Amino acid sequence: MSATIYKCPNCGAAMSFDSATQKLACASCGTNIDVVDYDKYIKELESEYNDNNNEEFSSDAGEYDGDSSENMKVFHCQSCGAKLVTDKFTSATFCSYCGNPNLVEERLDGEFSPDYVIPFKINKDAAVTAYKDWLKKGILTPRSLARNSVVEKISGIYVPFWLYDYSANSKMNALANRVRVVRRGDYEYTYTDHYRIYRDVSANFDKIPADASEKMPDERMDKLEPFNYQELVEFKKGYLQGYLSEKYNYNAEEIEDRTKSRAKESITNITRGTIKGYTSVVVNGNDVSVSDLKNTYALLPVWMLNFKYNDKNYSFYINGQTGKIVADRPVSIKRGIVFFITVFIIILVILMIGGLYI
Amino acid sequence: MKTINCNFKKKIGFVAILCLIFSSFILVDFIQESLKPMVVTATETKDYVIDDANVLSDIEEDQLEKMCKTASDSANCDIVIITFSYGYDGSVMDKYVRNILETEYGFNGSGSNCDACAYAIDMTSRADRIVTSGVAKSSISQSKLDSIREKAESKLANGNYYGGCSKFVSDIKTAIIDGTHVPTTKEKLTEHFAIKLLIALFAATIITFIAVCNAKAKTTTTDMTYVKNHKYNVNAREDVFINTTVTKRKIERSSSSSGGGSFGGGNSGSSGGHF
């Protein structure tokens, strides 16, 4: 098993994926190369080497050490030779010594090879700025969380998702009524028209996501949605350069129920939405069927920052494509007290001044 | 460090501004109090109690005299007790008492609309009447005046003439003072202070609670987010009419009994009854 570094064809330094240009970029010589073009370049080198040497091309990759436990694996960094220790799900990481990005290729091959990826659109600086702006908006949020020692821990990670396609149908029965009131003289007449309603609605759902990582909380990943699937591209390993990533913990069947129930709820609500123009509607029967069409494995970008405040852990997530923030906001008791007193004084002054004019 | 110092200075400045606002209100009130004119007391020569009907003893008359003088000084209005046995009642009694008030009384001078009020008791007709003029007329409502008379009257009915008269004096004095009092800025600011304090506390608690809780991210997907091409098919639609039900209700009309309008701050000039 090997860890791989994408090296610059110009100067040989390690390359990272640049979210601004959406290309692999070399920090040393400034070379930018498209991920697809880089793949072609490697394949050309490979076939050229094999033709010349009649040997199979072996990438200049570090070797698997063999020294590992069930949950941890050890590799060698291709750049400096240092040992990289990863858990069994990590597929992209950084060398702790030289800082170069490394890919664990075997965790991106075969059944673990993603079908698609949405490359990062938001770079680290933008993520840090978004975090700091979010901190400022919280009146009671402690400002000490803007320290560089906290901020520099922000990490870009490709989270494994399963995307499900469904065909759904709902057959709904309901009773509805329409009420109108007429006044004649001293009497009020209430006319209630009763109706029996039936609807048969079907829809196809495209790429309902469910995160397949055990480490990522499902509720937070759901709130990061939606991702813009227009920017979903065929997976190339080059997109992972410079970011962390993981392979899935759960296969498609294991977490399917979550997305199926979402599809059921959506088709029910859509069907109910077609019953309009009535004063009240009571649904007395709903037969919903959802059938699988397809599922695909994709890596979606997320910026993540974990921090501690008052011995409590907090997490901050940004959708690495759209910039949507999902986070817990810690509360500073000191700021809370000052805020309370300030608001109290302001309201009291307003009430007292109001008494002058009443 | 620089940022922290800057923020701290801003907070100190803000608190200082609030303290300045508070102290300016107190200062304004202090200036108003110091500019108030001095109170002028009534002259010693007036008889505030004329007991022609001899219903009061000498001691009671003296005490009532002192009470009326003190009350007159406090209210800036002559408060007088008159008893007689002429068999007067109604408008005749009113005219008689008013004539006395306008010729012999008035805190700031006699004449029509002088600042004076009288409680008249006729032992022959068993009629009692409050006659008001000037500030006593303008600052007390009719209902209040009637109430003062009724309270005094109940004591007269028990033969407690001194009690009835002293009750009248204390009640009318309070009514005139309350009716003529112009609240100072400080009084306006601190009026119902306990209630204002509670409201401010409650509002600050609610707002702080909202600020603490207002950190949750919201779900921004809808039912249509993942629907392919944002289109769905309605394969069948049936809206079948079953029947119509009708209910009938009589509209209740409220009988409008408009009560007597309140007089606002003044009264008609008198309030009479019998004991």
Side-chain angles (χ1 to χ4, degrees), chain A residues 188 200 204 206 225 278, chain B residues 226 228 235 239-240 242 249:
Chain A
E188 188 179 86
D200 182 344
N204 286 340
D206 191 27
E225 295 172 31
Y278 295 99
Chain B
Y226 297 108
K228 196 165 187 173
N235 306 316
D239 292 51
V240 178
I242 304 171
R249 184 181 75 89

Side-chain angles (χ1 to χ4, degrees), chain B residues 45-60:
Chain B
T45 57
K46 288 180 191 173
D47 285 329
Y48 291 96
V49 181
I50 304 167
D51 184 24
D52 287 348
N54 287 318
V55 295
L56 301 165
S57 66
D58 292 339
I59 296 169
E60 285 172 348

